[in-house]
Amino acid sequence: MNNGRFPISMHILTLLASAKGELLSSDYIAGSININPVLVRKEISNLRNHGLIESKEGKNGGATLAKSAEKIQLSEVYHAVQQAALLGNSKNEPNPDCPVGKQIKQHLDHLYVEIEGALLRKLEKTTLADFLGQFE
């Protein structure tokens, strides 16, 4: 997941959780994150598609959480934005005649499964409300 989507989504969700049901505009959220509102709208759309956010378009529109922060596990956010292997994938094909090259992918895959499992176990135990609690 070598991209900025998880921190952007966490920022959006944390802002919405702190707003306690008030609709927040993408411009307001973008100002807090210090990014273009178009990127915020893209992430809001993705989070809405994953059932984490509700949004209303138009002049008086905005976004709010689709469920309470206590019911949103951070693993849900991770799954909503995950695009690739956590630590990335090699773009080249290793030499199959090399003793390391012929086995590297299978050993890295095993390592990645273990690492992602540990990450998910932590994220499953942490709610958005737990995360928000650090800001109070």
Side-chain angles (χ1 to χ4, degrees):
M1 187 180 66
N2 298 320
N3 62 52
R5 293 185 68 200
F6 184 81
I8 290 170
S9 291
M10 284 298 299
H11 197 136
I12 291 168
L13 291 166
T14 305
L15 276 173
L16 295 178
S18 69
K20 298 179 171 70
E22 179 184 340
L23 289 175
L24 298 182
S25 72
S26 57
D27 287 338
Y28 175 84
I29 295 168
S32 177
I33 303 172
N34 200 22
I35 62 172
N36 189 304
V38 171
L39 295 173
V40 169
R41 287 190 283 277
K42 178 181 175 189
E43 287 309 317
I44 285 174
S45 176
N46 180 55
L47 294 169
R48 184 181 59 242
N49 291 339
H50 284 87
L52 299 173
I53 285 180
E54 294 176 347
S55 62
K56 178 181 168 189
E57 294 182 18
K59 183 179 177 185
N60 296 320
T64 188
L65 295 180
K67 54 187 174 179
S68 73
E70 291 81 10
K71 294 184 179 179
I72 296 175
Q73 295 174 308
L74 299 192
S75 58
E76 294 178 81
V77 182
Y78 175 80
H79 287 301
V81 300
Q82 180 185 16
Q83 293 179 310
L86 183 63
L87 297 176
N89 293 312
S90 178
K91 294 182 189 326
N92 65 311
E93 275 299 317
N95 182 344
D97 296 325
C98 170
V100 171
K102 68 182 176 185
Q103 299 179 51
I104 191 73
K105 282 188 175 186
Q106 91 183 51
H107 293 301
L108 283 174
D109 287 346
H110 179 72
L111 178 64
Y112 290 177
V113 166
E114 288 182 10
I115 291 169
E116 189 169 38
L119 172 67
L120 284 171
R121 283 188 294 280
K122 171 64 177 169
L123 294 177
E124 287 168 354
K125 293 178 184 175
T126 309
T127 67
L128 182 58
D130 296 331
F131 187 76
L132 176 62
Q134 298 177 85
F135 294 84
E136 299 175 327

